[in-house]
Amino acid sequence: MSQQTERRGGAVWALVITSVAGFMAALDNLVVTTALPSIRKDLGGGMDDLEWTVSAYTLTFAVLLMTGAALGDRFGRRRLFLTGLTIFTGASAAAAMAPGIDSLIAARAVQGVGAAIMMPLTLTLLTAAVPVAKRGMAYGIWGAVNGLAVASGPLIGGSLTEHISWQWIFWLNVPLGLALLPLARLRLAESFGTGSRLDIPGTLLASGGLFGIVYGLVRGPAEGWTGSLVLTGLFAGAALLVGFVLYSTRAKNPMLPMRLFRSRAFAGINAASLLMFLGMFGSIFLLSQYMQGVLGYSPTEAGLRMLPWTGMPMLVAPIAGILSDRIGGRPVVATGLFLQAAGLAYMAAVATTDASYASQLPGLIISGVGMALFFAPAANLVMSSVIPKEQGIASGANNALREVGGALGIAVMASIFSAQGGYETGQTFVDGLRPALVTGAAVVALAGVAALLIPSRKRSVETGESTPAPVLETVAG
């Protein structure tokens, strides 16, 4: 490595820059949820409009993740990271200054575009800057920050809305983005992927398919699962994704080589990630409402009481990263997923209209430890399951599946909740919450089973590095 590359690609700087950027992108998934009543009061609009302030971001983010990663591989990861960060920061300012609900929705959609370009490249840039022996710990810190952002979105959004104004959930991104831009330009080393031409047909098929699926998922609970637009989105999206898979098996330079899924490591960790986010997102979505609507806590109070769950990644994830370096990611990820499932099942069992915080605390702690054990080793498994030049698209694919899992989780949990309960009284809410949490626990346990299918790593006697042997066999084949 040259002195120039070392100066610009220092591991500590890369960790700080990518972790903060990842925090910004992940935070905006849920930060707006607790601000919706205040947004409606200031900007007007119906419930459909308010739902689109959440869905517009989720939609563009999930749809364009693989495209953003592919563009980074082709034109330079640092260059595209800076582009995505610039778009995201500018769109955040536009959202804060939005004069009406329509302009806010448009700004949220542009935010998602910026995040989709930026987010998958954070992991690729971090991997390029950190020595192999220390990647587990680096992924642990990166995963801790990202996990905290996802889980603390309602707390941060509620606190800013309650004590300042809802605009500050967007203004918060602007100084962070402006500080990161020069740091990323000066301190991150440029890297490229395969160098092949951009796969236009594959990009269109994947983007169109993900758009249809995610649109159907986010609109299903509001418009009904038999609505014409919802069914069209789901069926058309599924057809386009099938077309994408068939095309990618035959294309010379596809954006997502299907041969990657021959690796049990790559297939297993992606299945586990999708199922984990399905169970976790839906549970956080409902539990945040349970603490406020049933137990009577303010948004800030509810967020603080969830800290044993949401804050645990900051304490445990770095340790999980170190463990994954020493014993491999599979046992750590599987343990974390089974603990998360146990925590959700426990919270379903103790949920009542007057549940004390002490009765909920063990479930929150168990879930928090489980979530923390998942994030860092999962990132390590994704990036070590492919060869270096394909890490960008591997990160994009994994992030896309996570986002689809999150959207699916909210849709599935909301449907189960609506079928078994409702918002009429505290008891009807609990009646819907319990089966939804049990479903979430079962899905996360299934993710644990998927993680157990990941092959163990073989340690190289000569280098001391650990790699999933089946990946090397797949690439060689």
Side-chain angles (χ1 to χ4, degrees), residues 306-386:
M306 290 183 74
L307 277 179
W309 183 6
T310 61
M312 196 62 69
M314 293 300 293
L315 301 176
V316 179
I319 300 172
I322 295 172
L323 284 174
S324 73
D325 280 339
R326 294 183 177 179
I327 66 174
R330 180 181 67 171
V332 183
V333 165
T335 300
L337 290 169
F338 287 127
L339 284 174
Q340 176 81 84
L344 291 176
Y346 177 92
M347 285 189 277
V350 302
T352 62
T353 56
D354 58 352
S356 67
Y357 182 61
S359 69
Q360 301 171 64
L361 191 57
L364 294 170
I365 293 174
I366 294 170
S367 293
V369 172
M371 184 168 68
L373 289 176
F374 170 82
F375 279 116
N380 204 346
L381 285 169
V382 170
M383 301 307 279
S384 64
S385 68
V386 298

Side-chain angles (χ1 to χ4, degrees), residues 36 45-60 101 105 210-234 285 403-404 406-412 414-415 418:
L36 291 178
M47 283 306 298
D48 285 350
D49 295 319
L50 294 180
E51 289 169 2
W52 271 112
T53 63
V54 179
S55 300
Y57 181 85
T58 303
L59 198 58
T60 53
I101 193 71
I105 292 170
L210 287 173
F211 180 88
I213 294 291
V214 178
Y215 177 88
L217 292 178
V218 299
R219 300 308 300 162
E223 298 182 8
W225 293 104
T226 58
S228 58
L229 288 177
V230 172
L231 289 176
T232 300
L234 292 174
F285 179 73
E403 289 304 311
V404 171
L408 180 61
I410 292 176
V412 169
S415 296
S418 299

